[in-house]
Amino acid sequence: MLVFSFLLLVLPAYATFAVGKPCNKAKSDMEKLRCAEETADKFVARFLDTLDFAVPYREFFTVDRTLRNRNARAFRGGANTKVQRVNDRTLDQMYIAFMNVYYLSNLWGLSTKRVKDVDEQLYPPEIVFAMKSSPYFRNWISDAACCNEGEEDVKTRSEVLGLIKDAHRISSLFRKRIPPNSMSSSMYKENAKGILHDSSSPRIKYGEPNLGVSDSRAVFIVERDLFYFYIFEEAGRFKVFGLGIGN
């Protein structure tokens, strides 16, 4: 379940990638873990460069349609995705739209407000209005955000399209408000200094059954503060197949 908590969210400038053996020649577990970290760093950098989750999603997500669909249906927060009859493209659009709101809202908060002061009253009025007007995002600025109470489940194609439309509107508003070079701002640096903590070390496990990956397959867990990546090797490349959100 999504709970907004700016106390745990930091977006460092991941633009310097690890160097070493090319990833298509990686053999050892440590070499492959480095390649997974490189993929995660590039994903974050592309998002920060474009402020559009769709770009790194297209470039770095698995092409396995079953896994993509499962991931889209399983994402936490904002909607209970029970709808069954919706095509692959629409599922992708729903997932991308939701994640844009999630990441942009947190980037805006870190670059414009002191972390200790963040609450719903500090959202710009037009964003507060847009969220309160949406049956799919209204709890993001309410005390009920822990439990989805008051938010509508997504069960029909029209409701999925409604969520996408609302998310696009809210994301557009956040993009207008995020300062240029936001991570270079004194506000961002002050927030980062106050909340920076040691992320868990990148690690390898086998399988991720909740996301449909069998125990025989190596899974690389890479945390980049706000971004929590599940990565595996696919056709000689390292691809994201899931993202954890919340705290």
Side-chain angles (χ1 to χ4, degrees), residues 166-217:
D166 290 352
H168 286 336
R169 178 187 179 195
I170 294 166
S171 294
S172 178
L173 293 171
F174 273 118
R175 288 189 186 99
K176 292 177 181 178
R177 290 285 188 158
I178 293 173
N181 302 314
S182 57
M183 294 192 338
S184 299
S185 69
S186 58
M187 179 64 70
Y188 181 91
K189 290 179 179 178
E190 182 178 345
N191 283 336
K193 186 187 301 182
I195 64 179
L196 189 63
H197 60 92
D198 293 331
S199 295
S200 297
S201 299
R203 55 200 182 276
I204 304 172
K205 59 180 291 190
Y206 282 86
E208 186 56 50
N210 291 333
L211 293 175
V213 176
S214 70
D215 291 342
S216 63
R217 195 164 189 174

Side-chain angles (χ1 to χ4, degrees), residues 59-109:
E59 294 177 4
F60 300 107
F61 245 75
T62 175
V63 298
D64 187 317
R65 191 70 256 173
T66 300
L67 295 182
R68 285 172 72 147
N69 287 354
R70 184 162 182 164
N71 187 70
R73 292 182 186 280
F75 76 87
R76 292 174 293 154
N80 186 359
T81 54
K82 296 179 180 178
V83 63
Q84 295 300 315
R85 295 185 179 180
V86 62
N87 62 34
D88 294 345
R89 182 171 178 271
T90 304
L91 272 177
D92 279 350
Q93 289 175 337
M94 178 182 68
Y95 183 66
I96 289 167
F98 175 85
M99 293 302 238
N100 262 326
V101 175
Y102 177 76
Y103 289 120
L104 290 170
S105 64
N106 283 296
L107 179 57
W108 174 86

Side-chain angles (χ1 to χ4, degrees), residues 108-157:
W108 174 86
L110 287 172
S111 59
T112 61
K113 302 295 178 183
R114 296 181 187 277
V115 171
K116 64 181 180 180
D117 296 333
V118 169
D119 60 37
E120 73 170 88
Q121 301 304 319
L122 295 178
Y123 281 122
E126 68 272 24
I127 295 178
V128 171
F129 178 80
M131 286 186 167
K132 285 186 174 180
S133 300
S134 170
Y136 313 108
F137 293 96
R138 59 192 175 202
N139 276 2
W140 290 39
I141 54 172
S142 77
D143 292 336
C146 68
C147 309
N148 271 348
E149 293 180 14
E151 287 183 349
E152 292 185 7
D153 290 350
V154 178
K155 298 179 180 178
T156 68
R157 184 175 184 276

